[in-house]
């Protein structure tokens, strides 16, 4: 079961982080993703275990590609980076499966 389409009211653009080069970070081609954006500030843990502040969370379909450090442009036009993604899979329970993308 997915998040109902009528709740996916926003679109963001994600440029996936591909790694660092001698000239700085490298990103893949940007992709427009239908989602729900929650612009709420909260404390989260980074993959390295550090306590960081997330200013927004994007809820998208399972399989959405947004590696850590990817660039995300929100509907407001603000560009931010991915802190981490979480695969929210209910394992067959009647809960909406989705990707939670926490943003700086």
């Amino acid at each position: 079961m997915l998040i109902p389409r009528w709740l996916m009211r926003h679109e963001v653009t994600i440029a996936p982080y591909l790694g660092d080069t001698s000239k700085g970070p490298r990103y893949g081609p940007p992709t427009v993703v239908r989602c729900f954006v929650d612009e709420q500030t909260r404390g989260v843990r980074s993959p390295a275990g550090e306590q960081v502040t997330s200013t927004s969370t994007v809820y998208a379909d399972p399989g959405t590609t947004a590696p850590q450090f990817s660039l995300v442009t929100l509907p407001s036009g603000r560009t931010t980076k991915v802190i981490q993604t979480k695969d929210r899979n209910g394992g067959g329970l009647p809960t909406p499966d989705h990707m939670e993308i926490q943003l700086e």
Side-chain angles (χ1 to χ4, degrees), residues 3 7 13 23 25 40 48 60 65 72 77 90 94:
I3 294 176
L7 289 174
T13 302
K23 297 179 182 178
Q40 171 183 317
T65 302
V72 178

Side-chain angles (χ1 to χ4, degrees), residues 72-88:
V72 178
T73 304
L74 299 172
S76 65
R78 181 171 69 93
T79 299
T80 185
K81 289 185 180 178
V82 172
I83 296 171
Q84 69 177 336
T85 59
K86 296 183 175 190
D87 184 13
R88 303 296 193 178

Side-chain angles (χ1 to χ4, degrees), residues 37-44 51-57 59 74 78 80 83 102-104:
V37 177
D38 179 15
E39 293 199 54
Q40 171 183 317
T41 302
R42 63 186 174 136
V44 299
Q51 183 73 20
V52 295
T53 301
S54 171
T55 60
S56 302
T57 304
Y59 300 93
L74 299 172
R78 181 171 69 93
T80 185
I83 296 171
Q102 298 170 345
L103 306 171
E104 289 180 348

Side-chain angles (χ1 to χ4, degrees), residues 10-65:
H10 305 111
E11 286 184 344
V12 298
T13 302
I14 301 174
Y17 176 74
L18 301 177
D20 284 324
T21 69
S22 61
K23 297 179 182 178
R26 183 169 168 241
Y27 300 96
T31 304
V32 175
V33 175
R34 188 173 173 183
C35 61
F36 179 79
V37 177
D38 179 15
E39 293 199 54
Q40 171 183 317
T41 302
R42 63 186 174 136
V44 299
R45 293 238 179 245
S46 72
E50 304 164 324
Q51 183 73 20
V52 295
T53 301
S54 171
T55 60
S56 302
T57 304
V58 170
Y59 300 93
D61 285 336
T64 300
T65 302

